[in-house]
Amino acid sequence: MDLADLVSGIRIVELTAKTRQGAIRALVQAANWDDDGINPENVLEAIEEREAAAQTLVANDFALPHAFIDWDGDFRIVLGRSKSRVDYGGPAGVNVQLIVLLVIGRRLQQTHVEVLAALAELLKSPDFRQNLIDAKDIKAIDLLLMTQAGIQPENRPVRGPSIPRLTVNMVKTAIQLTESLAAQALLLAVERVENVPWEALANYKGRLLLVTSQHSEEFDHKREDLHIFDVAHASLSRADRANLGLLLAASSGLLTEKNSVVCVTGPDGRRLDSINVTKPEVHFRAMLSEKNRRGADVVRPAVMLRVLTLAIEIAAEGREAHPIGALFVIGDSRQVLRHSQQLVLNPFHGYARQLRNVLDPSLAETMKEFALIDGAFIIQGDGTVLSAGTYLTPKSASGSVAHGLGARHQTAAAISAHTQAMAITVSQSTGTVTVFRNGSSVLSLERSGRTKW
């Protein structure tokens, strides 16, 4: 086994336990087995059985406990360093300072000797082990291991994340559900494409939608009918990450309203634990429709999605370490301006159209800064920003607005009722992003609580 690949998979912890049993328990807990649906006590039991058969003391300062478990992965290594020594037992009462836990899964049961040999090669030098013991901190230990393996820190190979067993089982169940319901697509909301259990999807031939919160540059998976949507909004709740993915897929013409979509989500995108069957709601059609009355500028889907992204970012980040609210009105700008007046000098007045279009990424920070001004942004359907700090004066909306929503939401509902415009609000108190059309809320995205303010 390549030492670089071995080192990239090692987790490092500081040991405070004084006994062998306590130290091994700490190493097992550091391996984070919960994400794989494995009971840590079962791992401990397997290690103790192996220790009872033959103690794994390698040298006076070093022990290598290891065991096989019923696990879909290959191997997991945790290196523990103790500055005060651990009583490892045995007739001579040896005290060790380095304990390396190796747990082997089904993938490597036939070739586990290679991993053991690689570990022995890595740690065979007493002088190198002493350097690990004397290292200042965990970061220094990691650097020593990489140097010993002959790799530079910037060239360190990235080992793919272990796929939790629960994720694999949930995806297999979701595939069965998708096929039995004749659903039009299977949607997985994950952190990265590396968190997808590709082996479980090998026999699935239907449409696969991946909604990721982190972009993967090196991903190259040749699979038919695979569609990836990078939604860099980890601040959204799990359900709304899926909802935003459905909206993006619908805007790309990948979904219809007639058939179901099976969605698999999890709390952070690394571990999937929930399955939901839904249909792209009629409000998606309302949001993406280009059928407006004559004379009203059409809201392009790309513009709507860009403003929605901007609203989500404002909800998550706030401004100057404080939460802020915002209101964006998109489309039918001629009618909207008839129901408005300027509160302050319009900061967008006089600039060329190409310099004030929301589709230009460089305008994002300017928009976020101007969101601090009371009033609304007025945006044409093609993305051109007409004004900021605009006071809207529509008549009250006839549609119902949920109790507890303030003037910003009431205004958004009213302006969308009396014009062909779409209104998007950011709640200052809750961070919820709401889309209004025809006087009613058609989409609501709730913040999960991870914010920058």
Side-chain angles (χ1 to χ4, degrees):
M1 168 170 281
D2 183 58
L3 285 181
D5 184 56
L6 185 78
V7 167
S8 69
I10 295 179
R11 305 182 187 190
I12 306 168
V13 297
E14 294 281 13
L15 293 175
T16 58
K18 304 296 183 183
T19 65
R20 179 182 63 82
Q21 293 86 348
I24 291 178
R25 179 175 289 275
L27 294 174
V28 169
Q29 291 173 345
N32 192 22
W33 292 103
D34 290 340
D35 284 350
D36 294 275
I38 294 175
N39 187 345
E41 294 298 325
N42 294 338
V43 181
L44 277 169
E45 183 179 347
I47 293 170
E48 289 298 337
E49 287 180 1
R50 177 68 180 80
E51 286 286 309
Q55 197 176 56
T56 52
L57 189 66
V58 177
N60 289 337
D61 59 352
F62 171 43
L64 181 57
H66 57 278
F68 297 99
I69 64 169
D70 185 17
W71 168 45
D72 291 331
D74 45 16
F75 67 89
R76 190 161 294 177
I77 302 173
V78 184
L79 184 151
R81 188 269 300 271
S82 173
K83 293 184 177 181
S84 58
R85 296 183 177 274
V86 175
D87 180 4
Y88 209 74
V94 177
N95 294 320
V96 300
Q97 290 186 270
L98 288 178
I99 303 177
V100 179
L101 174 70
L102 170 62
V103 180
I104 301 166
R106 287 197 293 264
R107 290 183 189 174
L108 286 186
Q109 279 193 354
Q110 304 301 321
T111 58
H112 68 281
V113 175
E114 295 180 10
V115 183
L116 286 169
L119 275 174
E121 177 67 21
L122 181 68
L123 300 168
K124 68 179 181 181
S125 169
D127 291 338
F128 176 65
R129 295 199 301 270
Q130 190 60 48
N131 289 339
L132 295 176
I133 293 169
D134 296 336
K136 179 181 178 181
D137 52 25
I138 289 176
K139 187 175 181 180
I141 294 174
D142 188 46
L143 184 59
L144 285 169
L145 290 171
M146 286 191 289
T147 303
Q148 185 75 356
I151 56 177
Q152 296 297 321
E154 62 271 16
N155 297 326
R156 178 175 188 162
V158 179
R159 196 163 183 261
S162 173
I163 306 297
R165 180 181 295 183
L166 177 61
T167 294
V168 175
N169 291 337
M170 294 297 287
V171 170
K172 288 180 179 179
T173 302
I175 291 172
Q176 294 175 355
L177 192 58
T178 302
E179 293 172 345
S180 65
L181 295 176
Q184 60 182 318
L186 171 63
L187 183 148
L188 306 182
V190 296
E191 182 182 57
R192 301 168 60 90
V193 291
E194 290 84 356
N195 299 112
V196 175
W198 293 107
E199 291 184 7
L201 290 160
N203 296 323
Y204 174 65
K205 304 303 181 184
R207 176 161 292 173
L208 178 61
L209 309 175
L210 297 185
V211 182
T212 63
S213 56
Q214 291 186 22
H215 181 65
S216 298
E217 293 285 352
E218 299 180 357
F219 175 74
D220 182 24
H221 198 283
K222 295 178 175 60
R223 186 187 190 283
E224 293 184 3
D225 214 359
L226 168 64
H227 307 273
I228 302 176
F229 301 97
D230 291 323
V231 180
H233 301 309
S235 61
L236 291 176
S237 66
R238 66 164 77 190
D240 287 334
R241 287 199 297 272
N243 280 336
L244 191 54
L246 290 172
L247 182 59
L248 292 169
S251 69
S252 302
L254 297 172
L255 300 177
T256 66
E257 299 172 25
K258 296 181 179 180
N259 297 319
S260 301
V261 178
V262 177
C263 303
V264 189
T265 63
D268 55 11
R270 294 188 296 272
R271 176 171 170 267
L272 305 181
D273 61 5
S274 177
I275 297 176
N276 181 46
V277 180
T278 186
K279 287 186 178 180
E281 300 291 344
V282 176
H283 59 239
F284 283 0
R285 179 178 60 183
M287 293 177 67
L288 300 169
S289 174
E290 295 189 359
K291 295 180 180 179
N292 288 314
R293 70 174 175 229
R294 190 173 182 179
D297 56 333
V298 174
V299 178
R300 292 171 53 190
V303 172
M304 181 272 296
L305 293 171
R306 182 69 192 103
V307 177
L308 188 60
T309 294
L310 188 62
I312 294 169
E313 291 174 357
I314 290 173
E317 299 169 7
R319 207 66 181 162
E320 298 179 355
H322 295 287
I324 61 172
L327 171 57
F328 303 89
V329 182
I330 317 166
D332 201 8
S333 53
R334 183 177 301 177
Q335 290 298 321
V336 170
L337 290 174
R338 291 179 179 177
H339 298 278
S340 69
Q341 65 184 61
Q342 201 60 32
L343 285 175
V344 297
L345 290 175
N346 179 12
F348 289 98
H349 179 71
Y351 288 91
R353 293 178 66 87
Q354 65 267 25
L355 297 178
R356 49 191 173 96
N357 193 293
V358 294
L359 296 179
D360 180 359
S362 65
L363 192 65
E365 287 303 313
T366 300
M367 297 281 286
K368 293 175 184 179
E369 194 66 30
F370 289 153
L372 291 166
I373 303 174
D374 287 339
F377 289 93
I378 308 300
I379 304 171
Q380 288 185 323
D382 65 357
T384 303
V385 183
L386 297 181
S387 66
T390 305
Y391 180 58
L392 300 176
T393 58
K395 297 178 181 179
S396 298
S398 57
S400 60
V401 177
H403 294 294
L405 296 181
R408 181 179 290 112
H409 295 79
Q410 297 284 350
T411 302
I415 198 68
S416 69
H418 294 290
T419 67
Q420 292 293 302
M422 172 189 298
I424 300 177
T425 63
V426 179
S427 171
Q428 181 173 351
S429 58
T430 67
T432 298
V433 174
T434 308
V435 181
F436 290 89
R437 199 138 202 196
N438 299 322
S440 301
S441 168
V442 295
L443 180 67
S444 183
L445 303 174
E446 296 181 357
R447 196 182 68 234
S448 68
R450 287 174 286 180
T451 63
K452 295 183 179 180
W453 44 264

